[in-house]
Amino acid sequence: MRKSGAAQRFTPLRPRLASAGFRAALPLAERFFRHRNIHRSTSAFAAERARELAARLARGETVFLAGVSIGGFHNTGAALIEVTPSGGPRIICNNEEERYSGEKHSNKYPGRSLDALGEILASRGVGPDRIVAWLATYDYPLFVAAGLRSVLEEFPASLNLIFQDHAPSYDGDQLVAGMRVADELASRFGLDGPAPVIGVPHHDTHAYFSYLVSPFAAEQSPVMVAVVDGSGDCASISHYVGESGTLRPMRSNASIFDSLGMFYAVISSTQGGWTTLSSEGRYMGATAYGDMNRATNPYYERLRKIFDLRPDGDVRLNRSLANWPRSLLRDPYAAELADILGPPIPPEQMWNPDAVLRVEDIHHRPNTQERLDKAAATQLVFEDGLFHLVDGFIRTTGSDRLVLTGGAALNAVANMRLLEHFDEAYFRRALGRSTRLHLWVPPTPGDSGATIGAAYAFAATAGVGLGPRLEHAFYCGSAAPRSKIEAVLAGADDLEWVEIGDAAHPAGREAIADLMAFIIARNGVIAIFQGPAETGPRALGHRSILANPCNPRTREMLNERVKYREAIRPLAPMATLAAAIDLFELSDGAADDGYNAYNYMVLTVRAKARALERVPAVIHADGTARVQIVREHTDPVIHSFLKALGRRIGVEVAVNTSFNVGGPIAQTPVQAVKTLRRAKGMDGVFMLSAEGPAMLVWLKKSGSEAQGRAGRWLAEWKAESCAAEAGGE
């Protein structure tokens, strides 16, 4: 038993042994992977591919780069990037394996994603010979060497890390299977020989893409790019500086355990009762019900000792409190941390209804408020670390532009507070300047965006110029053709459906949007399935469930009868720009490129007083909302729907939550229909084909009111439309 009150220690126990192990392992690992046709980005093979890319572009060719996460790490997938001589890189697709397999955060080889990528290539008449390079999402030799370093840091206790069970975020068996990637790609795409893969340093995949598609990429003044995640191949925090479309690494921390993301993942899981990757967002939602005041939260002062915030923005983990550098899954708390937070929930109790944190128990279980206050303390400590590293970055570079990426950048609450913390007063005090922080976070800051990032990083280091800025995230897969949708519907005896218009034409689009608004105004719940799906963890209008934001019971009803999820989970608003400005306190620090940062649900905002009165369903317990601004030119159907809502309910705002029930977002027509069947409280799905025709689909009536309302409302809407036309004549 470890004794409580041990001396604080912020460095590894055996740093020299760890460093020696790293140096010895790296060249051996490099030879091992090279033998399997997996090369480093610093290799001669990578240099040859970069020269080939430049030569083809010089000849005026359009070429392609493919990103692939080979397995082992969570959120595998495959991406395709088009590169033209004059237009730079452009995303064609970013296929996430979980959407095709139905396995959340899949860490398996992305076979289905690659099949979908092949279909996209074929539809464009592009052969695999046009793919200049296959780029992977990790520098695998670096990962192996850093892994040995991590095991040796706390030797011998840290040997537990080798024998721990597979976690949702990493499965070594899947990585070993993925090492056959070069031969597998050759077989899948009919190549004459193996397709060598270039492994890109993991933090580079986050940094390059996020910076190069940001509103700041073309600026000549320095732009800060911070990668903050659980861990990459050798670090958990990395800083880069961008200028005029070029990016240079500045520094990375020395141990993967000095990690804000790992801290949040471990605590949210072992205190919330959900496995990692599923725990972080839920725990963030719980913080709204806890004491977010540093002066009064009963756990904050002691928990803040988990990190040492050193000069220049350095963050170090207190290894006398955190035991996860020695035993990540089974025994993650030292005795003193267990004294602060209570014992960790063990892996076998994850998802047990008696163990998970439920805000609805706040009036029934005496310890629920304590658990919520612990969640708030965890959020506060995470924000302390984030503020500290950004403060050091600002003072080093003098910049007021920040691109924040990596999985930890999905903490939308912390992102909002970054903008509040680094305001005009901070810059006057710290730098004597009249400015404030400007922040941008991509829709895919986590590993679901690493496949795109690998391709962007390779293109950038090969000298390819800037491509277009990011405006939306509709890149997962491709739009479903009418034939596939109708084939699924024709084979389903429990469904009714009717074609309702053609979204390819303005009049048809307006009719579809008005019917959607008609149903929502009557407190119906619908889903929309259109075009390629969103890439990233947020539904943004292509795979969304929509509901009435004005009804204060909408959140309770959706969570209980449609999504079957915890009441702790808030609902998000989608809004036109005018409505967002009217109802929410949008930050000037997120105003670049027409408030582009609010397009992706990566920032929360504080609601104005009238918002709580007019759209109570989308205001969280702490008075905030994770807003998405919808633009007409990127999503004309949803924009028309929001305008129609303005006419029907008085606000151009809708409840938006992801089109899923207990699994990944629906990707295919088959998955859309399955989700409709599972979500008993949903009235119907609007399914828009690639060609334009749209179908309203609902379950045949069998005793449930929701199952019969869609057909009745459709008839009422048609009658209203006919009456309006007659009146107009």
Side-chain angles (χ1 to χ4, degrees):
M1 180 74 177
R2 295 179 301 275
K3 294 182 179 180
S4 180
Q8 296 184 2
R9 178 166 61 85
F10 297 97
T11 57
L13 182 65
R14 307 193 188 281
R16 292 182 179 178
L17 177 63
S19 180
F22 176 86
R23 291 194 304 271
L26 185 58
L28 295 174
E30 189 169 358
R31 286 196 293 271
F32 173 85
F33 281 96
R34 187 168 61 241
H35 182 67
R36 285 155 178 76
N37 279 301
I38 300 175
H39 302 266
R40 302 188 71 193
S41 60
T42 55
S43 67
F45 176 78
E48 184 275 325
R49 289 290 84 200
R51 289 192 296 270
E52 176 68 13
L53 174 62
R56 290 198 187 189
L57 292 175
R59 293 195 296 265
E61 295 182 31
T62 294
V63 294
F64 296 86
L65 300 171
V68 58
S69 44
I70 68 173
F73 303 98
H74 61 93
N75 292 92
T76 58
L80 185 67
I81 308 301
E82 178 188 77
V83 186
T84 60
S86 59
R90 182 174 71 92
I91 310 168
I92 302 300
C93 69
N94 187 51
N95 300 338
E96 299 180 40
E97 186 68 10
E98 67 165 36
R99 308 290 181 83
Y100 299 93
S101 69
E103 181 182 339
K104 192 73 172 172
H105 303 298
S106 174
N107 53 26
K108 294 183 173 61
Y109 185 80
R112 294 176 178 87
S113 298
L114 287 164
D115 287 341
L117 186 148
E119 292 174 3
I120 290 172
L121 284 171
S123 71
R124 292 169 170 264
V126 174
D129 58 299
R130 300 270 298 279
I131 297 177
V132 174
W134 291 88
L135 292 314
T137 55
Y138 278 81
D139 181 330
Y140 295 101
L142 189 61
F143 167 76
V144 169
L148 179 61
R149 181 183 69 189
S150 300
V151 169
L152 295 177
E153 283 181 359
E154 300 291 328
F155 184 83
S158 51
L159 289 174
N160 289 315
L161 298 173
I162 299 176
F163 303 107
Q164 67 183 8
D165 298 332
H166 293 312
S169 58
Y170 175 67
D171 185 334
D173 291 343
Q174 293 298 325
L175 176 59
V176 171
M179 290 179 191
R180 299 189 294 269
V181 59
D183 291 328
E184 202 284 333
L185 289 173
S187 175
R188 183 180 297 273
F189 290 96
L191 303 175
D192 293 334
V197 170
I198 300 167
V200 178
H202 188 66
H203 280 191
D204 284 3
T205 72
H206 291 311
Y208 276 89
F209 169 71
S210 302
Y211 167 62
L212 291 171
V213 299
S214 76
F216 312 139
E219 295 190 6
Q220 296 180 358
S221 55
V223 176
M224 301 174 288
V225 181
V227 180
V228 184
D229 61 7
S231 70
D233 29 37
C234 67
S236 58
I237 298 172
S238 293
H239 291 174
Y240 301 74
V241 174
E243 290 180 275
S244 302
T246 62
L247 194 65
R248 59 180 172 86
M250 186 174 171
R251 71 174 186 182
S252 295
N253 60 358
S255 173
I256 64 170
F257 294 114
D258 294 326
S259 169
L260 296 175
M262 192 178 297
F263 157 74
Y264 205 95
V266 170
I267 302 302
S268 63
S269 178
T270 56
Q271 289 295 312
W274 311 280
T275 50
T276 55
L277 302 180
S278 296
S279 62
E280 295 89 334
R282 289 174 166 85
Y283 214 56
M284 183 180 71
T287 66
Y289 299 90
D291 184 352
M292 285 295 292
N293 187 325
R294 287 175 172 81
T296 57
N297 185 293
Y299 305 98
Y300 166 72
E301 278 296 328
R302 295 180 69 193
L303 186 60
R304 68 186 297 200
K305 298 176 184 177
I306 197 83
F307 288 115
D308 182 22
L309 306 182
R310 299 188 171 190
D312 300 324
D314 195 16
V315 176
R316 297 291 183 91
L317 180 71
N318 185 348
R319 295 170 185 242
S320 63
L321 282 179
N323 197 50
W324 51 86
R326 295 170 287 275
S327 182
L328 182 59
L329 296 180
R330 179 56 55 182
D331 189 22
Y333 294 8
E336 188 174 349
L337 184 58
D339 184 56
I340 297 170
L341 296 177
I345 297 171
E348 59 269 15
Q349 286 297 308
M350 296 297 172
W351 298 100
N352 185 325
D354 292 327
V356 298
L357 175 58
R358 293 164 51 89
V359 70
E360 52 266 53
D361 289 336
I362 199 167
H363 299 298
H364 307 291
R365 296 190 179 185
N367 70 332
T368 298
Q369 187 59 59
E370 295 176 4
R371 296 182 71 185
L372 294 168
D373 288 342
K374 291 172 186 176
T378 302
Q379 177 73 20
L380 290 169
V381 170
F382 173 83
E383 291 176 9
D384 286 351
L386 191 60
F387 294 169
H388 180 72
L389 71 89
V390 172
D391 174 76
F393 208 177
I394 290 172
R395 293 175 188 272
T396 300
T397 63
S399 176
D400 60 357
R401 299 289 196 268
L402 172 65
V403 174
L404 182 64
T405 186
L410 287 168
N411 193 311
V413 174
N415 296 343
M416 176 189 72
R417 296 204 175 102
L418 269 177
L419 287 169
E420 293 176 341
H421 184 82
F422 294 100
D423 58 4
E424 292 86 350
Y426 165 85
F427 274 87
R428 283 195 299 270
R429 183 174 64 252
L431 300 182
R433 293 177 56 193
S434 179
T435 186
R436 56 134 40 254
L437 183 67
H438 291 252
L439 175 67
W440 192 78
V441 179
T444 54
D447 280 12
S448 61
T451 43
I452 319 173
Y456 265 77
F458 181 80
T461 54
V464 174
L466 285 174
R469 298 189 309 274
L470 200 67
E471 296 185 286
H472 63 81
F474 307 128
Y475 295 112
C476 192
S478 54
R482 178 174 183 167
S483 60
K484 285 191 175 181
I485 294 175
E486 291 186 345
V488 172
L489 300 180
D493 295 335
D494 59 338
L495 300 180
E496 294 188 40
W497 63 278
V498 63
E499 187 171 321
I500 53 173
D502 191 339
H505 303 288
R509 185 163 58 245
E510 291 298 325
I512 295 165
D514 191 62
L515 174 57
M516 293 167 64
F518 183 93
I519 293 173
I520 296 300
R522 284 150 183 77
N523 292 314
V525 178
I526 59 175
I528 185 164
F529 176 96
Q530 63 160 328
E534 303 87 342
T535 183
R538 315 294 190 212
L540 301 172
H542 276 207
R543 301 291 189 277
S544 290
I545 293 174
L546 309 170
N548 190 346
C550 304
N551 185 344
R553 294 197 65 253
T554 294
R555 182 174 69 87
E556 177 185 354
M557 182 272 296
L558 272 178
N559 283 339
E560 286 185 358
R561 299 183 56 230
V562 177
K563 301 281 283 188
Y564 306 113
R565 66 182 191 179
E566 309 91 341
I568 210 167
R569 306 283 291 277
L571 298 174
M574 55 165 47
T576 61
L577 177 59
I581 291 173
D582 179 55
L583 295 172
F584 303 105
E585 299 286 354
L586 303 185
S587 173
D588 290 342
D592 299 272
D593 195 17
Y595 293 100
N596 181 286
Y598 290 113
N599 287 4
Y600 316 109
M601 287 190 188
V602 290
L603 279 170
T604 56
V605 293
R606 299 198 183 276
K608 295 179 179 178
R610 56 180 170 273
L612 189 56
E613 299 174 1
R614 301 181 69 185
V615 289
V618 295
I619 309 303
H620 202 21
D622 58 357
T624 65
R626 196 177 64 200
V627 67
Q628 177 208 355
I629 295 175
V630 178
R631 320 290 174 153
E632 182 177 11
H633 68 284
T634 57
D635 194 344
V637 172
I638 292 295
H639 190 269
S640 295
F641 159 65
L642 292 173
K643 299 295 287 186
L645 272 182
R647 297 188 293 270
R648 295 262 179 199
I649 64 175
V651 287
E652 295 174 352
V653 178
V655 167
N656 173 26
T657 187
S658 54
F659 186 21
N660 65 337
V661 178
I665 295 172
Q667 178 70 22
T668 65
V670 170
Q671 292 170 341
V673 167
K674 287 182 178 179
T675 305
L676 172 62
R677 291 181 177 126
R678 287 197 296 269
K680 301 297 185 183
M682 191 159 60
D683 293 294
V685 181
F686 284 76
M687 302 185 73
L688 279 61
S689 66
E691 299 87 347
M695 300 82 172
L696 172 59
V697 185
W698 66 95
L699 290 168
K700 290 181 179 178
K701 187 174 180 181
S702 60
S704 168
E705 180 187 1
Q707 290 175 313
R709 297 192 304 183
R712 185 177 77 248
W713 283 331
L714 176 61
E716 292 175 2
W717 175 78
K718 287 182 176 179
E720 179 190 274
S721 300
C722 290
E725 289 178 6
E729 293 175 358

